[in-house]
Amino acid sequence: MRKPEEAVPADPGRRARRLAVAAATVTVVLWSSAFVSIRSAGEDYGPGALALGRLLAGTVTLALLCLIRREGLPPRGAWPGIAASGVLWFGAYMVALNWGEQLVDAGTAAMVVNIGPLLIALFGGWLLKEGFPPALLAGMAVSFAGAVVVGLSMSGGGRSPLLGVLLCVVAAVTYAAGVLSQKPALRHGSALQVTTWGCAIGALTCLPFAGQLISEAADASFGSTLNMIYLGVFPTALAFTTWAYALARTSAGKMGATTYAVPALVVGMSWAALDEVPGWLTLAGGLLCLAGVAVSRRRSAAPAPAPAPAVPPSAPEPVQAGKEPVP
């Protein structure tokens, strides 16, 4: 009689990796769409007002999710990282990025802001003891080259105001610092807790722009306001939560490298939504970005186990008189 085949037990580690990749993919797609929405909303809203409106919409959405899921306050150990990421990433980063994109072209902004993943990998390997995997470094080099190609192909001859470039550098630095601050917080709190309170602290940081937001909202078009609300609900509330979920399950360096897919997706979305037809050099740079992400996500091959040392056959013990040998 044939024995029934035994079920192969599922690998929980592989399932967790797949969920982390899926969450990171959601984040990258939504963050890419944010560049298109920022450009549209920026026609009627200033950098600070847009950041505050986006963060308020995100905080309300996240608070509702916390009520539905009955999430309480984060543990005490999570608060230092939440506070730092809230001020640096949710607050300062968004204002600097919005302001910088008003002074430089999109290509230059993308090229400068993409210093951030390099800083995440370098300081993550040093401060968070994540090390420097060769595949990660190689993939980031390829992706950064692609980001440079995209930036140069979209820039207006490389003549960008110095203030705009400096603001993009500030955005890159605060982005990296926010990610590195958020990673330790995720050891104590859930992804939803860390994102919700980080977003709320970012909104508090941007409260000085409340008067500007109120005055500009009165004259803004419906489309600009709708884009601002979209930025808060999807690229902020949803995408930052899926980012935190994936970050809790992988290294900060790998997550930073994943965002190099953003320039390639932005090119495609701008083509579809804004009718901005990219050139061949731009498309080539986008493909380089995606190729670098694929290389950086490769897992290092496990070292082959060392062969066991040969054990010489033991000599048979002599049989004592009066004793039979044990069979």
Side-chain angles (χ1 to χ4, degrees):
M1 184 175 179
R2 185 179 178 182
K3 289 185 178 181
E5 295 183 0
E6 296 183 0
V8 179
D11 182 4
R14 178 178 297 179
R15 182 173 181 272
R17 288 192 296 271
R18 287 178 177 175
L19 288 175
V21 169
T25 302
V26 171
T27 298
V28 167
V29 171
L30 290 178
W31 281 357
S32 301
S33 71
F35 282 86
V36 179
S37 292
I38 287 173
R39 185 175 302 177
S40 299
E43 295 177 359
D44 294 314
Y45 289 98
L50 178 57
L52 177 59
R54 173 181 179 176
L55 290 168
L56 288 175
T59 300
V60 170
T61 305
L62 289 165
L64 291 175
L65 290 176
C66 283
L67 288 175
I68 294 171
R69 294 183 56 85
R70 297 182 180 180
E71 293 269 0
L73 289 173
R76 184 181 301 177
W79 280 105
I82 291 175
S85 64
V87 173
L88 294 171
W89 195 9
F90 287 87
Y93 165 78
M94 290 191 182
V95 175
L97 179 61
N98 293 343
W99 192 359
E101 285 196 355
Q102 290 186 355
L103 299 176
V104 301
D105 54 86
T108 301
M111 182 172 59
V112 177
V113 171
N114 269 306
I115 298 172
L118 287 174
L119 297 176
I120 292 171
L122 293 175
F123 285 101
W126 174 39
L127 297 175
L128 301 180
K129 311 299 182 185
E130 293 179 350
F132 302 95
L136 174 61
L137 296 179
M140 294 192 76
V142 174
S143 289
F144 186 71
V148 171
V149 171
V150 170
L152 292 177
S153 65
M154 296 175 65
S155 63
R159 297 181 299 273
S160 301
L162 179 60
L163 178 59
V165 174
L166 290 176
L167 285 167
C168 290
V169 172
V170 171
V173 172
T174 51
Y175 159 45
V179 173
L180 296 173
S181 301
Q182 191 184 64
K183 177 68 173 178
L186 291 167
R187 298 172 188 163
H188 305 278
S190 68
L192 184 56
Q193 288 175 328
V194 171
T195 306
T196 300
W197 291 98
C199 188
I201 291 173
L204 289 175
T205 305
C206 294
L207 272 183
F209 301 103
Q212 182 184 359
L213 174 62
I214 293 171
S215 63
E216 291 179 351
D219 300 325
S221 66
F222 176 74
S224 295
T225 302
L226 190 63
N227 272 290
M228 182 175 65
I229 295 173
Y230 169 82
L231 286 167
V233 175
F234 292 99
T236 303
L238 178 56
F240 273 78
T241 302
T242 51
W243 165 278
Y245 176 88
L247 181 62
R249 289 157 178 80
T250 187
S251 69
K254 278 193 174 183
M255 283 301 296
T258 302
T259 62
Y260 271 120
V262 169
L265 295 179
V266 169
V267 169
M269 290 180 180
S270 298
W271 191 354
L274 303 176
D275 200 24
E276 296 180 351
V277 181
W280 288 109
L281 190 60
T282 304
L283 291 175
L287 290 176
L288 270 179
C289 291
L290 295 176
V293 172
V295 172
S296 68
R297 299 293 303 182
R298 290 181 59 187
R299 298 180 62 199
S300 301
V311 179
S314 55
E317 296 182 0
V319 180
Q320 297 181 3
K323 289 188 178 181
E324 296 292 331
V326 179

